[in-house]
Amino acid sequence: MTGLVHRRLAGQVVEMLREQILTGVLPLGSRLNEVEIARDLGISRSPLREAIGQLVSDGLLVHVPNKGAAVLTAGPEDVAALFELRSALECRAARLAALRRQPKEVARMRKVCVRSRTARETGRKLPYDLDLEFHRALMEAAHSPRIAEQVWLVQQQVIVLRSGLVSRPAHTEASLADHEAMAEAVADGDADLAASLMESHLSLVETELLHSMRSEAT
């Protein structure tokens, strides 16, 4: 196997495993059996291990002594730390988005809100990818690739922690309303309002996540 083919294969495995982790196919704390995964994919363990190493670096997997890699788990203190970081990054990004946005970026944010509202009104659970797409659109409007890169890593970890939990309908509605309000604040160039809305939105998400974790534990 050439180096280029090896890297491409490892990259494909990264994205396959990432999707399974984000969607809860691989639940929180579940251990990855390298032998079984390599056999099922028909690949050697070398690119698989490289892929696992990348996901450990991304914070989606952790190394468990004498057991290999497992999907991350977190307690309340871990959640608080994640949201402290996410708030610092995304509140700044929301402010920058309001100052730097272009019409096409505002249009994309609004379009995601419409798609999300349609999904909500048809009774579907709001897919994680639509929630993620809104925040990505806001990151694009901020024109700060370094912030966007770090936000992406933190967002993924939050998605993993929420993957096996059930959100209350009221939370989904409030979260969608927050997105719509943020899109308009960015469109109006109101940096203070955009940052304030993001701060309250992330506080809402953190509270709901902790509530769901407590409910699941009882």
Side-chain angles (χ1 to χ4, degrees):
M1 182 184 297
T2 67
L4 179 60
V5 172
H6 177 93
R7 288 193 296 272
R8 285 178 176 172
L9 181 56
Q12 292 170 354
V13 177
V14 166
E15 296 312 314
M16 183 206 69
L17 291 176
R18 190 193 309 276
E19 179 70 12
Q20 291 184 354
I21 294 168
L22 293 179
T23 56
V25 173
L26 290 172
L28 295 177
S30 60
R31 176 176 168 271
L32 273 64
N33 187 314
E34 293 185 16
V35 175
E36 290 184 0
I37 295 174
R39 183 189 64 218
D40 292 343
L41 296 178
I43 62 174
S44 70
R45 293 174 66 181
S46 179
L48 174 59
R49 285 174 175 167
E50 184 174 324
I52 289 173
Q54 178 61 55
L55 292 170
V56 169
S57 296
D58 289 350
L60 300 184
L61 296 176
V62 295
H63 278 303
V64 181
N66 303 317
K67 293 185 178 179
V71 179
L72 87 158
T73 57
E77 292 183 357
D78 301 306
V79 170
L82 277 175
F83 276 91
E84 283 180 2
L85 177 57
R86 188 171 176 184
S87 182
L89 292 167
E90 291 201 67
C91 288
R92 179 60 178 169
R95 181 176 296 277
L96 291 175
L99 297 174
R100 299 174 175 177
R101 84 282 185 216
Q102 298 296 321
K104 66 179 181 180
E105 294 152 355
V106 172
R108 182 185 173 193
M109 293 175 67
R110 286 171 167 163
K111 184 177 180 179
V112 176
C113 287
V114 170
R115 290 169 57 203
S116 300
R117 177 64 64 182
T118 299
R120 172 76 178 137
E121 291 177 350
T122 55
R124 293 168 50 209
K125 177 184 176 182
L126 189 62
Y128 85 86
D129 55 334
L130 281 177
D131 179 64
L132 199 57
E133 188 174 345
F134 174 83
H135 286 269
R136 280 179 170 172
L138 187 145
M139 289 301 114
E140 286 189 5
H143 294 275
S144 180
R146 293 291 183 89
I147 292 180
E149 180 181 358
Q150 296 305 312
V151 166
W152 167 233
L153 295 176
V154 180
Q155 284 176 334
Q156 288 182 96
Q157 293 177 52
V158 173
I159 289 171
V160 174
L161 296 178
R162 296 174 64 185
S163 63
L165 303 174
V166 177
S167 294
R168 293 171 290 184
H171 167 74
T172 302
E173 179 61 32
S175 184
L176 178 51
D178 284 348
H179 284 186
E180 292 168 338
M182 276 189 278
E184 295 313 308
V186 169
D188 292 341
D190 193 332
D192 289 340
L193 180 57
S196 177
L197 288 168
M198 179 62 80
E199 183 177 17
S200 61
H201 173 67
L202 293 176
S203 178
L204 174 74
V205 176
E206 180 183 6
T207 298
E208 179 66 13
L209 175 55
L210 290 171
H211 173 272
S212 299
M213 289 172 67
R214 286 192 295 268
S215 298
E216 185 75 13
T218 57

